[in-house]
Amino acid sequence: MANNTPQAVRGTQDIFGADAEAFAFVVETFERVRKLYRFRRAEMPVFEKTEVFSRPLGETTDVVSKEMYSFEDRGGESLTLRPEFTAGIARAYLTNGWQQHAPLKLATHGPLFRYERPQKGRYRQFHQINAEILGAGEPQADVELLAMADQLLKELGIDDGVTLQLNTLGDPESREAWRAALVEYFSGHKDALSEDSQERLVKNPLRILDSKDRGDMAIVAGAPAIDDFLTDEARDFFAAVTSGLDAAGVQYERNPRLVRGFDYYRHTAFEFVTDRLGAQGTVLGGGRYDGLIETLGGPHTPSVGWAAGIERLAMLVGEKGESRVEIAIAAESRDREADAASAVAMFRRMGISTELFASGSPRKRYDKARKAEPGVLVSMDVRDGKDVQNWLVTLPEIDRQEEAFQAFLARWDIPDDNSL
RNA sequence: GCGAUCGUAGCUCAGUUGGUUAGAGCGCCGGUUUGUGGUACCGGAGGUCGGGGGUUCAAGACCCCUCGAUCGCCCCA
């Protein structure tokens, strides 16, 4: 049957029914909250010149060479399907002169692409909601962004079991000093480290801190903490962020081992995590990326942002049923199909959601309509050569029930003993 | 890129230590009850058992390869 049908590409998904409703609920809630915080909408292209994404990443070979969906267009130019929002936003900020709007609060959402092996909560085409504040160097920006994320999760009803983990990576001096201390420390324990972490020691030493290897975790417990390497300025910045969160009533947990892999990150780093999503515990993550825009040839532009996977949020949101049909109309006789269609059109024009049941065996249409669990079930039939209709209200009653009933009565008779 | 588990009708699954024309429930389609009715009855469509090769008198069941799915590792912007 399906042996001649092309299959969907690995890691892509078709979302439908309850899952699609949960997905839409996440997006709608995000849109509402983003307006509350006065973030402006922006839409960026789904693909960019490859360097938009590769330049900020520097020489992180794995990510650039293995994780990006890159291809050449007909002109021989290397293009890449966006693996994240931030770089594209930064590019748009520069090429459109959005500096004039700084500090600029932007929100967007849509599909992203990463060439990964799919697993729970990870897809090759996935979707994120995203919020950024560009051109804002004050800790207050971090606080506002986090407060927004916090409120979003609450309004999604998933704050229970999700905790905000917060850390600072300091300014470049702090970060470099910490990094050097970590390399020294881990080098001293090199033989005890897992194979993976021995590689990380060379490629990305900070990442040893979130190793999943039990042996590594024991060593990590004794590793130097960032706090001992913060400059006064970096310490003050972080203190301003935490006191701002306290003032805003945002709960958080300090995680001194939370890190970011790329050099453009500065100061605040955060993740909202849960243990309910298998290996993918991060529900929403972000941080301050003061160094990013310079890598794209722009002026120093301190900025903060976060992103969250819509699929992951949707999994936590739980079942979201499709909305109830307000009116279902069953044409129980073929001779009443035109009437039923006309009634359906009338209700829909009134702004009432209506479904028509006029296909298949006429005898079974009533049962089908009944199974749709409508607020009002209208039957249209022919008995003893006469047109007959019935109006059945189920509980809870729909809004504007009486109005709909009167509109129907104006065109079709309903005997007293059959009405309501 | 690596590993584990899995792959039978649209969906959820059953198919004994390999043995004759591959099943059920739900759904779908048609019909019956001349019916105010969601739950009853009858019938029907739909599967080359993911694909290819092999072992065997015989394979949905065993072996190999391949494709796909799920979960995990690596990576995580």
Side-chain angles (χ1 to χ4, degrees):
Chain A
M1 175 95 185
N3 46 13
N4 191 27
T5 305
Q7 289 173 304
V9 174
R10 179 198 292 268
T12 63
Q13 31 168 4
D14 303 301
I15 310 173
F16 172 73
D19 292 340
E21 295 298 330
F23 190 105
F25 172 69
V26 170
V27 173
E28 286 160 11
T29 305
F30 172 67
E31 272 297 296
R32 202 179 69 241
V33 172
R34 151 248 140 173
K35 287 175 190 164
L36 239 35
Y37 282 77
R38 306 295 296 167
F39 275 62
R40 303 166 74 178
R41 255 317 276 249
E43 297 294 335
M44 277 73 53
V46 168
F47 57 101
E48 298 270 1
K49 292 181 180 176
T50 295
E51 54 178 336
V52 169
F53 304 112
S54 65
R55 268 163 63 174
L57 264 31
E59 297 184 21
T60 318
T61 49
D62 253 27
V63 170
V64 175
S65 62
K66 293 176 64 177
E67 305 288 338
M68 297 203 311
Y69 259 102
S70 300
F71 58 95
E72 281 191 4
D73 71 2
R74 295 186 188 191
E77 182 149 47
S78 179
L79 304 178
T80 295
L81 264 28
R82 43 139 91 141
E84 58 156 332
F85 280 114
T86 309
I89 289 173
R91 187 233 88 219
Y93 181 83
L94 295 172
T95 59
N96 295 309
W98 289 349
Q99 289 105 316
Q100 66 179 314
H101 299 117
L104 176 59
K105 298 193 286 187
L106 284 183
T108 191
H109 64 83
L112 301 173
F113 307 83
R114 295 181 189 175
Y115 199 92
E116 308 198 78
R117 197 67 186 268
Q119 51 181 293
K120 190 179 181 69
R122 291 186 83 165
Y123 306 92
R124 286 188 174 180
Q125 178 181 336
F126 59 105
H127 304 79
Q128 288 188 337
I129 50 178
N130 183 275
E132 316 272 355
I133 304 181
L134 297 110
E138 317 76 36
Q140 185 49 41
D142 306 45
V143 172
E144 181 175 17
L145 208 56
L146 277 162
M148 175 178 167
D150 186 66
Q151 183 166 349
L152 171 68
L153 297 180
K154 282 191 168 69
E155 302 216 0
L156 287 172
I158 60 176
D159 52 309
D160 195 38
V162 175
T163 57
L164 166 57
Q165 302 204 339
L166 185 69
N167 196 25
T168 178
L169 304 170
D171 48 33
E173 291 157 68
S174 316
R175 185 190 167 108
E176 203 33 61
W178 184 40
R179 179 192 164 99
L182 284 172
V183 170
E184 190 187 334
Y185 172 79
F186 286 124
S187 297
H189 296 78
K190 187 174 178 189
D191 294 340
L193 287 173
S194 67
E195 222 175 288
D196 284 331
S197 284
Q198 292 189 19
E199 258 184 68
R200 292 186 182 109
L201 189 49
V202 183
K203 281 162 51 179
N204 202 349
L206 297 201
R207 280 289 171 190
I208 297 175
L209 293 173
D210 44 32
S211 170
K212 288 171 182 167
D213 183 275
R214 287 199 175 273
D216 288 350
M217 290 168 108
I219 299 169
V220 163
I226 178 73
D227 293 36
D228 297 330
F229 303 90
L230 291 176
T231 61
D232 289 345
E233 199 190 340
R235 190 183 314 279
D236 290 348
F237 189 96
F238 191 53
V241 171
T242 55
S243 63
L245 290 176
D246 291 338
V250 176
Q251 303 266 304
Y252 62 90
E253 207 170 81
R254 177 71 197 280
N255 178 357
R257 281 185 276 284
L258 178 65
V259 293
R260 290 278 103 106
F262 299 116
D263 288 342
Y264 55 74
Y265 280 104
R266 311 281 155 79
H267 299 291
T268 321
F270 55 87
E271 287 179 8
F272 286 81
V273 297
T274 178
D275 57 5
R276 288 187 282 163
L277 288 178
Q280 268 60 55
T282 301
V283 157
L284 182 154
R288 180 161 276 282
Y289 53 94
D290 294 355
L292 172 63
I293 288 184
E294 281 153 293
T295 69
L296 292 174
H300 177 71
T301 308
S303 305
V304 235
W306 58 248
I310 298 175
E311 288 88 346
R312 291 187 193 175
L313 292 171
M315 283 190 265
L316 294 172
V317 146
E319 291 286 295
K320 291 288 165 203
E322 296 181 29
S323 59
R324 181 165 81 138
V325 190
E326 295 183 280
I327 301 180
I329 301 181
E332 294 198 80
S333 158
R334 295 194 205 280
D335 292 337
R336 300 305 306 283
E337 288 172 7
D339 269 351
S342 158
V344 163
M346 176 182 80
F347 289 132
R348 287 174 175 166
R349 272 194 280 268
M350 288 173 70
I352 297 173
S353 74
T354 310
E355 189 79 82
L356 173 65
F357 294 84
S359 65
S361 171
R363 305 186 84 91
K364 296 186 175 174
R365 292 174 188 172
Y366 187 89
D367 283 355
K368 281 196 220 167
R370 185 113 202 190
K371 283 182 186 171
E373 297 181 352
V376 174
L377 202 174
V378 179
S379 142
M380 303 184 88
D381 202 353
V382 176
R383 285 184 197 164
D384 304 321
K386 286 203 265 183
D387 288 357
V388 189
Q389 24 277 329
N390 182 47
W391 182 277
L392 176 70
V393 179
T394 64
L395 295 174
E397 240 181 62
I398 61 165
D399 293 342
R400 303 168 63 198
Q401 196 284 128
E402 188 56 30
E403 188 187 339
F405 184 56
Q406 292 306 328
F408 187 81
L409 273 187
R411 289 190 57 187
W412 292 282
D413 291 333
I414 295 182
D416 287 345
D417 59 332
N418 278 343
S419 61
L420 295 175

